[in-house]
């Protein structure tokens, strides 16, 4: 497929202070767009100036949420070059999400080429300060102007770019987690494994309640027994318990995070055993109380590794370790960001230069 590059007539002023960029509010000059029609396939792939779309008010995505997205980052390396972190993993997951949501597959090699071309053209939008990055958001939406409930015949796929400040501006500090047993994020047979907007819409209520009570994030339990740990906010979660790292298995209700995958590899590199198994809320609360739970951390592209200092379940508080950032958590954060920014060697072939 051809990729046309449309001229940019009115470049925006670039942000003055890249350390003050709020997440997801500033967008670069250009975006990638392609369209799909049943019988014709993907067509009209182009990089064009960033701007609003014109959508029919009946467009399927606006009514029945047939939508998927991805999130990855481009990093400014020490040598001035730009790197993507495991981009093919994101593209493959995009296709898995598409399959679950009855949406068309994208050509993985073409999509990677388009993504790299877009980042190359927008290279000046990759910030340079410590900890900053360019967040990349691939998205696919159903566009049929039809109110019947069925998979759309037409789709729009696009990629937008947003420069972001360092996640840990106020320091790398532990968060307080509220364990929700009234709300669930995903159920067996549902869409928990797909990166689709509806999962997020469904999670807002619990996040609001948690925030109202003074917590930073929600920890989701399984929908059936409300007993086993699944994810935290929109991150995967790991527990350093009895000298091993325990995390929920990929059984369809949690997202197969690329940060999760990478962190598990780094943990094994350190000679620490990893267990992917169901972990009950009692194990966590008891482990925290007895000191056997030394550390807990969320993993995701935005935060990389997010240390947990406290869990609260049915009114009981349990401090993790000494409530400070754990040694393993810090080490994983330093190693992963070191690889991403080019401070450390890329032993696993995770870096794709642009
Ligand atoms: C995106 C996402 C994650 C993290 O995935 P990464 O690939 O590590 O960024 C975890 N859980 C949910 C629900 C997500 O949407």
């Amino acid at each position: 497929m051809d990729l046309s590059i449309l001229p940019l007539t009115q470049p925006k002023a670039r942000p003055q202070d890249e350390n003050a960029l709020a997440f997801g509010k500033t967008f670069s000059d250009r975006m990638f767009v392609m369209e799909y029609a049943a019988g014709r396939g993907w067509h009209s792939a182009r990089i064009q100036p960033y701007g609003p779309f014109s959508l029919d008010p009946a467009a399927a995505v606006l009514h029945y949420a047939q939508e998927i997205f991805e999130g990855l980052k481009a990093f400014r390396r020490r040598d001035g070059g730009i790197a993507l972190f495991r981009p093919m993993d994101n593209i493959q997951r995009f296709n898995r999400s598409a399959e679950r949501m009855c949406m068309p597959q994208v050509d993985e090699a073409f999509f990677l080429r388009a993504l790299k071309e877009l980042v190359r053209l927008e290279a000046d939008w990759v910030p340079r300060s410590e900890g900053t990055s360019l967040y990349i958001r691939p998205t696919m939406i159903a566009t049929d102007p039809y109110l019947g409930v069925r998979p759309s015949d037409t789709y729009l796929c696009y990629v937008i770019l947003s420069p972001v400040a360092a996640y840990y501006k106020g320091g790398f500090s532990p968060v307080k987690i509220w364990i929700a047993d009234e709300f669930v994020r995903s159920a067996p047979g549902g869409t928990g494994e797909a990166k689709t907007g509806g999962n997020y819409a469904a999670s807002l209520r619990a996040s609001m309640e948690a925030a109202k009570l003074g917590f930073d994030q929600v920890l989701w339990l399984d929908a059936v027994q409300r007993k086993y740990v699944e994810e935290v906010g929109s991150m995967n979660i790991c527990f350093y318990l009895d000298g091993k790292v325990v995390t929920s298995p990929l059984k369809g209700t949690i997202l197969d995070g690329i940060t999760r995958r990478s962190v598990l590899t780094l943990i094994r590199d350190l000679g620490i055993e990893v267990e992917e198994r169901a972990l009950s809320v009692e194990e966590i609360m008891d482990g925290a109380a007895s000191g056997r739970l030394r550390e807990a951390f969320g993993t995701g592209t935005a935060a990389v590794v997010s240390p947990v200092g406290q869990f609260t379940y049915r009114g009981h508080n349990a401090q993790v370790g000494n409530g400070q950032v754990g040694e393993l958590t810090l080490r994983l954060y330093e190693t992963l960001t070191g690889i991403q920014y080019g401070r450390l060697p890329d032993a696993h072939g995770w870096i794709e230069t642009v």
Side-chain angles (χ1 to χ4, degrees), residues 93 185 195 200 231 234-236 255 257-260 299-301:
R93 187 172 66 190
R185 191 191 82 92
K195 220 168 167 72
Y200 280 71
E231 296 200 65
S234 50
M235 288 183 280
N236 298 113
L255 205 88
I258 291 152
T259 317
R260 173 187 183 277
T299 66
T301 294

Side-chain angles (χ1 to χ4, degrees), residues 197-218:
N199 291 341
Y200 280 71
S203 77
L204 294 174
R205 181 70 192 280
S207 303
M208 293 312 293
E209 304 262 325
K212 232 188 295 170
L213 297 169
F215 296 96
D216 301 294
Q217 294 276 6
V218 176

Side-chain angles (χ1 to χ4, degrees), residues 43-83:
H43 64 91
S44 309
R46 64 217 185 245
I47 291 174
Q48 66 177 58
Y50 182 97
F53 294 120
S54 168
L55 278 185
D56 195 290
V61 63
L62 302 176
H63 302 271
Y64 309 123
Q66 200 190 3
E67 186 266 3
I68 57 168
F69 68 97
E70 266 304 324
L72 66 158
K73 284 173 171 176
F75 302 93
R76 177 75 63 183
R77 312 268 287 179
R78 282 214 294 204
D79 62 5
I82 296 170

Side-chain angles (χ1 to χ4, degrees), residues 32-275:
F32 167 78
V33 183
M34 65 179 176
E35 293 161 52
Y36 180 93
R40 183 174 176 195
W42 290 108
H43 64 91
S44 309
R46 64 217 185 245
I47 291 174
Q48 66 177 58
Y50 182 97
F53 294 120
S54 168
L55 278 185
D56 195 290
V61 63
L62 302 176
H63 302 271
Y64 309 123
Q66 200 190 3
E67 186 266 3
I68 57 168
F69 68 97
E70 266 304 324
L72 66 158
K73 284 173 171 176
F75 302 93
R76 177 75 63 183
R77 312 268 287 179
R78 282 214 294 204
D79 62 5
I82 296 170
L84 304 178
F85 184 73
R86 309 187 76 170
M88 205 36 129
D89 291 41
N90 289 91
I91 296 171
Q92 286 165 352
R93 187 172 66 190
F94 195 54
N95 270 340
R96 290 201 303 278
S97 298
E99 214 218 328
R100 179 63 183 83
M101 303 308 290
C102 303
M103 301 170 90
Q105 298 286 295
V106 299
D107 181 299
E108 291 169 0
F110 174 78
F111 205 69
L112 180 61
R113 180 161 75 83
L115 215 124
K116 286 168 90 171
E117 185 62 29
L118 177 64
V119 173
R120 218 174 280 133
L121 284 166
E122 298 292 73
D124 284 349
W125 285 89
V126 183
R128 293 171 184 274
S129 312
E130 174 83 27
T132 60
S133 58
L134 183 69
Y135 185 77
I136 305 171
R137 170 53 60 90
T139 310
M140 193 194 298
I141 59 173
T143 53
D144 275 8
Y146 175 56
L147 296 182
V149 180
R150 59 141 171 79
S152 185
D153 283 331
T154 58
Y155 296 89
L156 192 64
C157 177
Y158 58 93
V159 181
I160 54 177
L161 307 175
S162 176
V164 292
Y167 189 89
Y168 296 103
K169 271 171 295 191
F172 193 52
S173 46
V175 294
K176 280 163 64 180
I177 304 285
W178 184 56
I179 303 182
D181 60 356
E182 186 182 340
F183 299 102
V184 294
R185 191 191 82 92
S186 107
T191 57
E193 201 175 22
K195 220 168 167 72
T196 182
N199 291 341
Y200 280 71
S203 77
L204 294 174
R205 181 70 192 280
S207 303
M208 293 312 293
E209 304 262 325
K212 232 188 295 170
L213 297 169
F215 296 96
D216 301 294
Q217 294 276 6
V218 176
L219 185 140
W220 303 101
L221 297 178
D222 76 285
V224 179
Q225 300 187 61
R226 309 275 169 105
K227 179 174 173 187
Y228 297 104
V229 173
E230 301 234 307
E231 296 200 65
V232 56
S234 50
M235 288 183 280
N236 298 113
I237 185 158
C238 292
F239 300 87
Y240 192 20
L241 181 70
D242 290 332
K244 297 175 190 168
V245 172
V246 186
T247 193
S248 336
L250 303 174
K251 285 204 299 203
T253 52
I254 71 167
L255 205 88
D256 180 358
I258 291 152
T259 317
R260 173 187 183 277
R261 235 184 248 182
S262 309
V263 158
L264 296 186
T265 299
L266 296 176
I267 292 166
R268 291 186 178 109
D269 285 353
L270 291 170
I272 299 171
E273 197 180 321
V274 172
E275 281 183 357

